[in-house]
Short mmCIF file of all heavy atoms in Angstrom, two decimals:
data_model
loop_
_atom_site.label_atom_id
_atom_site.label_comp_id
_atom_site.label_asym_id
_atom_site.label_seq_id
_atom_site.Cartn_x
_atom_site.Cartn_y
_atom_site.Cartn_z
N LEU A 205 19.38 43.65 -7.24
CA LEU A 205 20.70 43.05 -7.51
C LEU A 205 20.72 42.25 -8.83
O LEU A 205 21.67 42.31 -9.59
CB LEU A 205 21.15 42.20 -6.31
CG LEU A 205 21.45 43.00 -5.07
CD1 LEU A 205 21.78 42.08 -3.88
CD2 LEU A 205 22.52 44.08 -5.29
N PRO A 206 19.67 41.48 -9.16
CA PRO A 206 19.67 40.76 -10.43
C PRO A 206 19.73 41.76 -11.58
O PRO A 206 20.37 41.49 -12.65
CB PRO A 206 18.35 40.01 -10.43
CG PRO A 206 18.11 39.70 -8.95
CD PRO A 206 18.53 41.00 -8.34
N TYR A 207 19.08 42.91 -11.43
CA TYR A 207 19.10 43.90 -12.52
C TYR A 207 20.50 44.49 -12.64
O TYR A 207 20.98 44.70 -13.88
CB TYR A 207 18.09 45.03 -12.21
CG TYR A 207 18.10 46.08 -13.28
CD1 TYR A 207 17.57 45.89 -14.56
CD2 TYR A 207 18.66 47.38 -12.98
CE1 TYR A 207 17.56 46.91 -15.53
CE2 TYR A 207 18.67 48.36 -14.03
CZ TYR A 207 18.15 48.14 -15.18
OH TYR A 207 18.15 49.11 -16.20
N TYR A 208 21.16 44.74 -11.56
CA TYR A 208 22.56 45.24 -11.66
C TYR A 208 23.50 44.29 -12.39
O TYR A 208 24.33 44.58 -13.10
CB TYR A 208 23.06 45.63 -10.29
CG TYR A 208 22.56 46.94 -9.75
CD1 TYR A 208 21.64 46.99 -8.72
CD2 TYR A 208 22.99 48.16 -10.31
CE1 TYR A 208 21.13 48.21 -8.27
CE2 TYR A 208 22.56 49.38 -9.84
CZ TYR A 208 21.60 49.41 -8.81
OH TYR A 208 21.12 50.61 -8.32
N ALA A 209 23.25 42.95 -12.02
CA ALA A 209 24.03 41.88 -12.70
C ALA A 209 23.76 41.92 -14.20
O ALA A 209 24.67 41.75 -15.01
CB ALA A 209 23.68 40.53 -12.05
N ALA A 210 22.49 42.04 -14.56
CA ALA A 210 22.11 42.07 -15.97
C ALA A 210 22.74 43.28 -16.66
O ALA A 210 23.20 43.21 -17.86
CB ALA A 210 20.62 42.05 -16.14
N ARG A 211 22.75 44.42 -15.99
CA ARG A 211 23.35 45.62 -16.57
C ARG A 211 24.89 45.39 -16.79
O ARG A 211 25.44 45.77 -17.78
CB ARG A 211 23.19 46.79 -15.59
CG ARG A 211 21.78 47.41 -15.60
CD ARG A 211 21.57 48.29 -16.80
NE ARG A 211 22.57 49.37 -16.83
CZ ARG A 211 22.40 50.55 -16.20
NH1 ARG A 211 21.35 50.75 -15.40
NH2 ARG A 211 23.36 51.48 -16.29
N GLY A 212 25.53 44.72 -15.84
CA GLY A 212 26.97 44.42 -15.98
C GLY A 212 27.24 43.57 -17.14
O GLY A 212 28.22 43.81 -17.94
N ALA A 213 26.44 42.53 -17.37
CA ALA A 213 26.66 41.63 -18.43
C ALA A 213 26.37 42.34 -19.76
O ALA A 213 27.11 42.22 -20.77
CB ALA A 213 25.70 40.44 -18.35
N SER A 214 25.30 43.12 -19.85
CA SER A 214 24.97 43.87 -21.05
C SER A 214 26.06 44.89 -21.40
O SER A 214 26.45 44.99 -22.56
CB SER A 214 23.62 44.58 -20.85
OG SER A 214 23.22 45.28 -21.99
N ASP A 215 26.51 45.64 -20.45
CA ASP A 215 27.54 46.65 -20.69
C ASP A 215 28.84 46.04 -21.19
O ASP A 215 29.60 46.66 -21.90
CB ASP A 215 27.85 47.49 -19.42
CG ASP A 215 26.68 48.40 -19.08
OD1 ASP A 215 25.76 48.52 -19.88
OD2 ASP A 215 26.67 48.94 -17.94
N ALA A 216 29.10 44.75 -20.75
CA ALA A 216 30.33 44.04 -21.18
C ALA A 216 30.08 43.36 -22.53
O ALA A 216 31.03 42.64 -23.01
CB ALA A 216 30.72 43.02 -20.11
N GLY A 217 28.96 43.52 -23.11
CA GLY A 217 28.69 42.85 -24.44
C GLY A 217 28.29 41.38 -24.36
O GLY A 217 28.41 40.68 -25.33
N GLY A 218 27.86 40.98 -23.22
CA GLY A 218 27.50 39.56 -22.99
C GLY A 218 26.06 39.30 -23.25
O GLY A 218 25.25 40.24 -23.42
N MET A 219 25.66 38.06 -23.15
CA MET A 219 24.31 37.59 -23.33
C MET A 219 23.61 37.60 -21.92
O MET A 219 24.15 37.01 -20.97
CB MET A 219 24.22 36.20 -23.91
CG MET A 219 22.87 35.61 -24.04
SD MET A 219 21.86 36.40 -25.23
CE MET A 219 22.57 35.80 -26.80
N SER A 220 22.42 38.21 -21.88
CA SER A 220 21.67 38.26 -20.61
C SER A 220 20.21 37.77 -20.86
O SER A 220 19.52 38.37 -21.73
CB SER A 220 21.67 39.67 -20.05
OG SER A 220 20.85 39.76 -18.91
N ILE A 221 19.84 36.74 -20.20
CA ILE A 221 18.44 36.24 -20.31
C ILE A 221 17.70 36.30 -19.06
O ILE A 221 18.19 35.92 -18.00
CB ILE A 221 18.54 34.72 -20.74
CG1 ILE A 221 19.29 34.57 -22.14
CG2 ILE A 221 17.16 34.15 -20.90
CD1 ILE A 221 19.47 33.14 -22.54
N GLY A 222 16.50 36.88 -19.15
CA GLY A 222 15.69 37.12 -17.92
C GLY A 222 14.55 36.09 -17.93
O GLY A 222 13.93 35.81 -19.02
N PHE A 223 14.24 35.60 -16.77
CA PHE A 223 13.05 34.69 -16.58
C PHE A 223 12.04 35.43 -15.76
O PHE A 223 12.17 35.63 -14.60
CB PHE A 223 13.51 33.36 -15.88
CG PHE A 223 14.33 32.42 -16.72
CD1 PHE A 223 15.57 32.72 -17.04
CD2 PHE A 223 13.71 31.30 -17.22
CE1 PHE A 223 16.30 31.85 -17.89
CE2 PHE A 223 14.39 30.41 -18.02
CZ PHE A 223 15.71 30.70 -18.35
N SER A 224 10.96 35.83 -16.48
CA SER A 224 9.98 36.67 -15.88
C SER A 224 8.84 35.88 -15.25
O SER A 224 8.46 34.79 -15.74
CB SER A 224 9.32 37.59 -16.93
OG SER A 224 8.23 38.29 -16.41
N PRO A 225 8.23 36.37 -14.09
CA PRO A 225 7.07 35.61 -13.53
C PRO A 225 5.81 35.87 -14.39
O PRO A 225 4.84 35.21 -14.19
CB PRO A 225 6.95 36.32 -12.16
CG PRO A 225 7.60 37.68 -12.34
CD PRO A 225 8.70 37.50 -13.28
N ALA A 226 5.89 36.86 -15.30
CA ALA A 226 4.75 37.26 -16.05
C ALA A 226 4.45 36.31 -17.23
O ALA A 226 5.37 35.50 -17.68
CB ALA A 226 4.93 38.69 -16.57
N VAL A 227 3.29 36.39 -17.83
CA VAL A 227 2.92 35.61 -18.96
C VAL A 227 3.16 36.30 -20.28
O VAL A 227 3.16 35.70 -21.31
CB VAL A 227 1.38 35.16 -18.83
CG1 VAL A 227 0.51 36.37 -19.09
CG2 VAL A 227 1.09 34.06 -19.76
N SER A 228 3.39 37.63 -20.23
CA SER A 228 3.60 38.42 -21.45
C SER A 228 4.37 39.64 -21.12
O SER A 228 4.60 40.03 -19.97
CB SER A 228 2.21 38.79 -22.04
OG SER A 228 1.57 39.69 -21.18
N LEU A 229 4.86 40.33 -22.21
CA LEU A 229 5.56 41.58 -21.97
C LEU A 229 4.68 42.60 -21.30
O LEU A 229 5.07 43.38 -20.44
CB LEU A 229 6.05 42.15 -23.33
CG LEU A 229 6.79 43.47 -23.26
CD1 LEU A 229 8.00 43.37 -22.43
CD2 LEU A 229 7.14 43.97 -24.75
N ARG A 230 3.38 42.65 -21.77
CA ARG A 230 2.43 43.60 -21.14
C ARG A 230 2.29 43.41 -19.64
O ARG A 230 2.39 44.32 -18.85
CB ARG A 230 1.07 43.45 -21.76
CG ARG A 230 0.02 44.48 -21.27
CD ARG A 230 -1.33 44.18 -21.95
NE ARG A 230 -1.25 44.26 -23.35
CZ ARG A 230 -1.34 45.45 -24.04
NH1 ARG A 230 -1.45 46.53 -23.41
NH2 ARG A 230 -1.23 45.42 -25.37
N GLU A 231 2.18 42.13 -19.25
CA GLU A 231 2.10 41.81 -17.77
C GLU A 231 3.40 42.11 -17.06
O GLU A 231 3.43 42.58 -15.98
CB GLU A 231 1.69 40.35 -17.63
CG GLU A 231 1.25 40.00 -16.18
CD GLU A 231 0.69 38.60 -16.07
OE1 GLU A 231 1.54 37.67 -15.97
OE2 GLU A 231 -0.56 38.42 -16.11
N HIS A 232 4.47 41.72 -17.76
CA HIS A 232 5.82 42.02 -17.22
C HIS A 232 5.93 43.49 -16.86
O HIS A 232 6.50 43.77 -15.73
CB HIS A 232 6.84 41.58 -18.24
CG HIS A 232 8.27 41.76 -17.79
ND1 HIS A 232 8.93 40.85 -16.97
CD2 HIS A 232 9.20 42.74 -18.05
CE1 HIS A 232 10.22 41.28 -16.75
NE2 HIS A 232 10.35 42.44 -17.43
N LEU A 233 5.63 44.35 -17.77
CA LEU A 233 5.75 45.78 -17.56
C LEU A 233 4.71 46.41 -16.71
O LEU A 233 5.03 47.27 -15.83
CB LEU A 233 5.78 46.48 -18.92
CG LEU A 233 6.98 46.10 -19.89
CD1 LEU A 233 6.71 46.81 -21.21
CD2 LEU A 233 8.27 46.47 -19.27
N ARG A 234 3.41 45.99 -16.88
CA ARG A 234 2.38 46.77 -16.21
C ARG A 234 1.92 46.12 -14.91
O ARG A 234 1.52 46.84 -14.00
CB ARG A 234 1.19 46.89 -17.19
CG ARG A 234 1.56 47.76 -18.38
CD ARG A 234 0.32 48.09 -19.28
NE ARG A 234 0.70 49.00 -20.33
CZ ARG A 234 -0.16 49.34 -21.29
NH1 ARG A 234 -1.41 48.90 -21.32
NH2 ARG A 234 0.23 50.15 -22.25
N LYS A 235 1.84 44.82 -14.81
CA LYS A 235 1.47 44.18 -13.52
C LYS A 235 2.57 44.04 -12.60
O LYS A 235 2.51 44.43 -11.43
CB LYS A 235 0.84 42.80 -13.89
CG LYS A 235 0.42 42.02 -12.60
CD LYS A 235 -0.12 40.62 -12.87
CE LYS A 235 -0.42 39.89 -11.62
NZ LYS A 235 -1.01 38.55 -11.89
N TYR A 236 3.69 43.43 -13.07
CA TYR A 236 4.86 43.23 -12.19
C TYR A 236 5.80 44.42 -12.13
O TYR A 236 6.61 44.50 -11.24
CB TYR A 236 5.59 41.98 -12.68
CG TYR A 236 4.87 40.67 -12.41
CD1 TYR A 236 4.04 40.08 -13.40
CD2 TYR A 236 4.91 40.05 -11.13
CE1 TYR A 236 3.35 38.95 -13.16
CE2 TYR A 236 4.22 38.87 -10.89
CZ TYR A 236 3.44 38.34 -11.90
OH TYR A 236 2.73 37.15 -11.69
N ARG A 237 5.69 45.32 -13.16
CA ARG A 237 6.52 46.49 -13.21
C ARG A 237 8.03 46.15 -13.09
O ARG A 237 8.76 46.62 -12.26
CB ARG A 237 6.12 47.47 -12.07
CG ARG A 237 4.67 47.87 -12.12
CD ARG A 237 4.30 48.83 -10.97
NE ARG A 237 4.89 50.12 -11.16
CZ ARG A 237 4.40 51.08 -11.92
NH1 ARG A 237 3.26 50.87 -12.61
NH2 ARG A 237 5.03 52.28 -12.03
N LEU A 238 8.39 45.33 -14.05
CA LEU A 238 9.78 44.83 -14.11
C LEU A 238 10.54 45.36 -15.30
O LEU A 238 9.90 45.74 -16.33
CB LEU A 238 9.76 43.29 -14.10
CG LEU A 238 9.27 42.60 -12.89
CD1 LEU A 238 9.26 41.08 -13.05
CD2 LEU A 238 9.97 43.03 -11.58
N PRO A 239 11.84 45.43 -15.27
CA PRO A 239 12.64 46.00 -16.38
C PRO A 239 12.75 45.15 -17.58
O PRO A 239 12.54 43.94 -17.50
CB PRO A 239 14.06 46.23 -15.73
CG PRO A 239 14.10 45.16 -14.63
CD PRO A 239 12.70 45.05 -14.14
N PHE A 240 13.13 45.73 -18.69
CA PHE A 240 13.31 44.97 -19.92
C PHE A 240 14.56 45.36 -20.68
O PHE A 240 14.98 44.70 -21.56
CB PHE A 240 12.11 45.14 -20.88
CG PHE A 240 12.03 46.59 -21.45
CD1 PHE A 240 12.54 46.83 -22.67
CD2 PHE A 240 11.46 47.54 -20.73
CE1 PHE A 240 12.53 48.13 -23.22
CE2 PHE A 240 11.40 48.88 -21.26
CZ PHE A 240 11.95 49.10 -22.46
N ASP A 241 15.20 46.49 -20.36
CA ASP A 241 16.11 47.18 -21.21
C ASP A 241 17.47 46.46 -21.37
O ASP A 241 18.18 46.68 -22.37
CB ASP A 241 16.39 48.58 -20.73
CG ASP A 241 16.91 48.63 -19.30
OD1 ASP A 241 16.20 48.07 -18.44
OD2 ASP A 241 17.99 49.19 -19.05
N CYS A 242 17.89 45.66 -20.43
CA CYS A 242 19.25 45.05 -20.53
C CYS A 242 19.21 43.54 -20.84
O CYS A 242 20.18 42.93 -20.56
CB CYS A 242 20.02 45.34 -19.23
SG CYS A 242 19.20 44.82 -17.72
N TYR A 243 18.10 43.08 -21.34
CA TYR A 243 18.00 41.66 -21.60
C TYR A 243 18.00 41.38 -23.10
O TYR A 243 17.33 42.10 -23.83
CB TYR A 243 16.76 41.05 -21.01
CG TYR A 243 16.64 41.25 -19.52
CD1 TYR A 243 15.80 42.19 -18.97
CD2 TYR A 243 17.48 40.49 -18.64
CE1 TYR A 243 15.75 42.42 -17.58
CE2 TYR A 243 17.37 40.73 -17.26
CZ TYR A 243 16.57 41.66 -16.75
OH TYR A 243 16.56 41.91 -15.40
N ASP A 244 18.75 40.34 -23.52
CA ASP A 244 18.71 39.99 -24.95
C ASP A 244 17.45 39.16 -25.24
O ASP A 244 16.97 39.09 -26.40
CB ASP A 244 19.92 39.08 -25.27
CG ASP A 244 21.23 39.89 -25.11
OD1 ASP A 244 21.50 40.71 -26.06
OD2 ASP A 244 21.91 39.84 -24.08
N PHE A 245 16.94 38.47 -24.19
CA PHE A 245 15.74 37.66 -24.30
C PHE A 245 15.15 37.54 -23.01
O PHE A 245 15.77 37.40 -21.95
CB PHE A 245 16.11 36.27 -24.86
CG PHE A 245 14.97 35.26 -24.96
CD1 PHE A 245 14.05 35.38 -25.94
CD2 PHE A 245 14.83 34.33 -23.96
CE1 PHE A 245 12.93 34.54 -25.95
CE2 PHE A 245 13.78 33.41 -24.04
CZ PHE A 245 12.83 33.56 -25.03
N ILE A 246 13.76 37.63 -22.96
CA ILE A 246 13.00 37.41 -21.72
C ILE A 246 12.10 36.19 -21.91
O ILE A 246 11.33 36.18 -22.87
CB ILE A 246 12.19 38.66 -21.29
CG1 ILE A 246 13.08 39.89 -21.06
CG2 ILE A 246 11.33 38.31 -20.09
CD1 ILE A 246 12.33 41.11 -20.67
N ASN A 247 12.23 35.26 -21.08
CA ASN A 247 11.35 34.06 -21.11
C ASN A 247 10.19 34.39 -20.15
O ASN A 247 10.29 34.47 -18.92
CB ASN A 247 12.14 32.88 -20.52
CG ASN A 247 11.40 31.53 -20.63
OD1 ASN A 247 10.09 31.50 -20.49
ND2 ASN A 247 12.07 30.51 -20.86
N PHE A 248 9.06 34.52 -20.75
CA PHE A 248 7.78 34.85 -19.96
C PHE A 248 7.20 33.52 -19.52
O PHE A 248 6.47 32.83 -20.22
CB PHE A 248 6.77 35.65 -20.85
CG PHE A 248 7.33 37.00 -21.28
CD1 PHE A 248 7.68 37.18 -22.57
CD2 PHE A 248 7.51 37.98 -20.38
CE1 PHE A 248 8.25 38.38 -23.03
CE2 PHE A 248 8.03 39.23 -20.73
CZ PHE A 248 8.44 39.42 -22.07
N THR A 249 7.55 33.19 -18.26
CA THR A 249 7.22 31.84 -17.72
C THR A 249 5.67 31.73 -17.33
O THR A 249 5.11 30.67 -17.34
CB THR A 249 8.03 31.50 -16.52
OG1 THR A 249 7.66 32.35 -15.44
CG2 THR A 249 9.53 31.68 -16.82
N GLY A 250 5.06 32.88 -16.88
CA GLY A 250 3.66 32.79 -16.44
C GLY A 250 3.55 32.00 -15.13
O GLY A 250 2.44 31.58 -14.79
#
């Protein structure tokens, strides 16, 4: 559901910021297997 919300904001031309549990993009994609395509910025919280 958070991803669908981010898609809605992105499709409407809005700003979408994601807060990832990962420490880096590599970990975000490969360890947690989370999306990246509809975010203007991802905060890698670690």
Side-chain angles (χ1 to χ4, degrees):
L205 295 177
Y207 179 71
Y208 282 108
R211 285 282 302 276
S214 179
D215 289 349
M219 176 69 73
S220 177
I221 299 176
F223 286 73
S224 172
V227 72
S228 66
L229 178 61
R230 182 183 302 278
E231 192 174 84
H232 179 83
L233 297 175
R234 295 188 177 176
K235 176 181 178 180
Y236 289 95
R237 304 180 68 83
L238 297 177
F240 70 94
D241 58 303
C242 55
Y243 303 105
D244 295 281
F245 175 75
I246 298 179
N247 186 326
F248 298 108
T249 68

